[in-house]
Amino acid sequence: MARDRASLWSEISAFMFESYRWAGERGSSSPRPKAPGLCIDVLEYQRQNNPAYARYCVQHGCTHRGVRLFDYPPLPADCFRREEVLGFCPSERIAEFHSSGTTAGVSSRHGFRDLGLMQRSILYHYSLMVAGGVLPGTRYLSLMPRYEDNPHSSLGYMISQLIEMLGGEKSGYYFSMADGLDIVGLREALLDAARDDVPVHLFGPAYSYVALLDGLGSERLTCAPGSCLMETGGYKGKVREIPRAELRDALSVGLGIERGRIYGEYGMCELSSQGYEICALNTNADIPGEGLFVLPSWLMCVVYSPETMAPVLPDHDGQIALFDLCNLDSVSFILTGDVGRLVTLPDTLVASLPGAPTYALRLYGRAASAVPKGCSLAWEAWERRM
């Protein structure tokens, strides 16, 4: 029987809360919350109510209700660039996030009828994977503009939500659409926090940190103990490129932040949820290399063989598809265009992580045929003004 949106929204919200609560109870004897039936209900709702996805399903022989996730085709993220992927009337849209538009200046566009599920996703998974290692009163400092100044950035929205909900006194933003990155103001904020012996948490894309390091030159700052830094996104020709490990070494030395408290975030405009890298903020166990991202229970990963488009087992490479329950009003099942693998985690690491995840996602980059993506919309908009 067809489900209505209100009941699906309520069940998704309840599942997210139960998953969050269960993951926060280390050693819980209760079974892990699961929602296979809900996933099928959401996909069927989208097949029936989203014209773009309905056409795509017909093209791939999906013309009736499936019984498992693999009965539905994952929609390529590039479709968000080609047409509106909406399961509601455009007049009801209250927010729309854009990608950086690297191909012929055309951006992916992800419309939202409401942001309630996305807000829950941001808070729940960050609280589990990051906030437990962030000291109370930490100043949250963003190298991205506030959401109100750049309302089409999903990364900016996420950071703004975290600053407003969790940031300590003197938290703030150090990028404006008029002037770009405020290196002078950010430097002073870091020095002020160090004088007060208050830790900071920096948020921004990789290229913003390169710009910060270049602006500081040979100067070395010393952030208070407990400081941390989130790095996301790539370079996309904005500044000189630095390999991840080298950049993090430079940030640790230049800002005085412990290497293990520098971590990555994985998200994209076409999704509502994010993954966070395994680091010292969420485990005391040995970490088997950088770039392993833990996804929340409501963001599931499937790896497909690029030759056959059949699912492959964990620890095998392929194209990444993600199923995001929070994408209720667009399409939940997305072929991201990224290449990677699900990595089986050692038992000691599983036991130490919130929610005891069995696998983590390792990303290798974009598939050869995929459209480039990124989170540099704010920088591009600012550069167009120069």
Side-chain angles (χ1 to χ4, degrees):
M1 184 173 66
R3 298 283 301 276
D4 64 273
R5 179 186 183 275
S7 68
L8 287 171
W9 197 102
S10 295
E11 190 172 344
I12 293 168
S13 179
F15 171 73
M16 293 171 67
F17 178 73
E18 289 302 317
S19 297
Y20 164 69
R21 186 171 64 177
W22 183 89
E25 297 174 351
R26 294 184 182 274
S28 174
S29 59
S30 61
R32 181 192 300 269
K34 296 182 179 180
L38 177 58
C39 295
I40 301 304
D41 286 345
V42 167
L43 283 168
E44 187 60 17
Y45 170 81
Q46 292 169 347
R47 186 182 71 85
Q48 294 184 23
N49 292 277
N50 190 311
Y53 189 55
R55 291 193 299 272
Y56 191 75
C57 283
V58 169
Q59 293 170 4
H60 287 77
C62 177
T63 58
H64 59 278
R65 181 183 176 87
V67 296
R68 57 179 190 154
L69 183 67
F70 300 128
D71 292 333
Y72 293 85
L75 184 75
D78 188 39
C79 290
F80 285 79
R81 185 174 63 87
R82 300 178 181 275
E83 60 181 312
E84 288 197 316
V85 182
L86 300 177
F88 57 93
C89 178
S91 63
E92 298 178 87
R93 180 168 39 209
I94 61 110
E96 184 177 81
F97 298 125
H98 298 176
S99 69
S100 55
T102 56
T103 303
V106 180
S107 299
S108 289
R109 295 170 179 264
H110 187 187
F112 286 78
R113 189 175 176 181
D114 76 73
L115 291 167
L117 293 177
M118 187 176 188
Q119 289 170 340
R120 287 163 171 77
S121 182
I122 291 170
L123 180 60
Y124 289 166
H125 197 48
Y126 178 86
S127 296
L128 287 171
M129 289 298 296
V130 181
V134 179
L135 297 175
T138 293
R139 295 176 189 173
Y140 283 29
L141 308 178
S142 174
L143 281 69
M144 293 284 290
R146 65 180 70 244
Y147 171 62
E148 291 78 8
D149 296 336
N150 189 34
H152 295 311
S153 168
S154 58
L155 176 63
Y157 179 76
M158 181 195 79
I159 294 173
S160 291
Q161 288 288 303
L162 294 176
I163 289 177
E164 291 170 12
M165 290 186 289
L166 302 172
E169 185 181 0
K170 295 188 178 181
S171 295
Y173 304 83
Y174 293 88
F175 188 108
S176 75
M177 298 305 294
D179 301 315
L181 183 64
D182 181 7
I183 295 175
V184 173
L186 180 56
R187 173 184 175 276
E188 184 55 39
L190 292 171
L191 290 172
D192 183 61
R195 284 191 293 267
D196 294 342
D197 198 29
V198 174
V200 297
H201 190 336
L202 294 169
F203 297 88
Y207 47 79
S208 65
Y209 292 119
V210 174
L212 173 61
L213 291 172
D214 287 347
L216 293 175
S218 60
E219 183 177 12
R220 298 289 179 264
L221 305 181
T222 304
C223 293
S227 294
C228 45
L229 182 152
M230 185 193 81
E231 166 258 312
T232 188
Y235 295 91
K236 298 164 57 53
K238 300 298 163 189
V239 292
R240 61 191 177 93
E241 295 193 18
I242 302 178
R244 174 193 286 157
E246 184 180 331
L247 174 61
R248 293 185 178 184
D249 287 341
L251 288 168
S252 181
V253 171
L255 301 179
I257 296 176
E258 292 179 33
R259 186 65 164 72
R261 297 176 68 85
I262 298 174
Y263 68 98
E265 178 266 356
Y266 174 67
M268 52 193 294
C269 149
E270 297 85 358
L271 296 172
S272 303
S273 303
Q274 304 81 30
Y276 291 107
E277 189 175 5
I278 299 173
C279 66
L281 289 165
N282 46 51
T283 183
N284 293 319
D286 291 334
I287 299 171
E290 293 178 332
L292 282 172
F293 294 88
V294 172
L295 308 180
S297 298
W298 51 90
L299 181 63
M300 291 153 277
C301 178
V302 180
V303 181
Y304 285 95
S305 163
E307 290 82 19
T308 65
M309 283 309 293
V312 301
L313 294 173
D315 302 308
H316 290 76
D317 297 344
Q319 294 203 38
I320 302 298
L322 295 172
F323 180 89
D324 189 349
L325 270 174
C326 297
N327 270 20
L328 176 62
D329 291 316
S330 55
V331 173
S332 289
F333 204 12
I334 304 294
L335 190 64
T336 66
D338 289 326
V339 175
R341 66 164 57 187
L342 281 174
V343 175
T344 303
L345 299 176
D347 291 343
T348 53
L349 189 53
V350 170
S352 73
L353 286 166
T358 305
Y359 308 105
L361 176 62
R362 186 182 295 283
L363 297 165
Y364 297 132
R366 303 293 287 163
S369 60
V371 175
K373 66 180 178 70
C375 53
S376 59
L377 191 63
W379 283 67
E380 291 176 352
W382 173 69
E383 287 174 346
R384 286 196 295 269
R385 297 177 181 220
M386 301 303 289

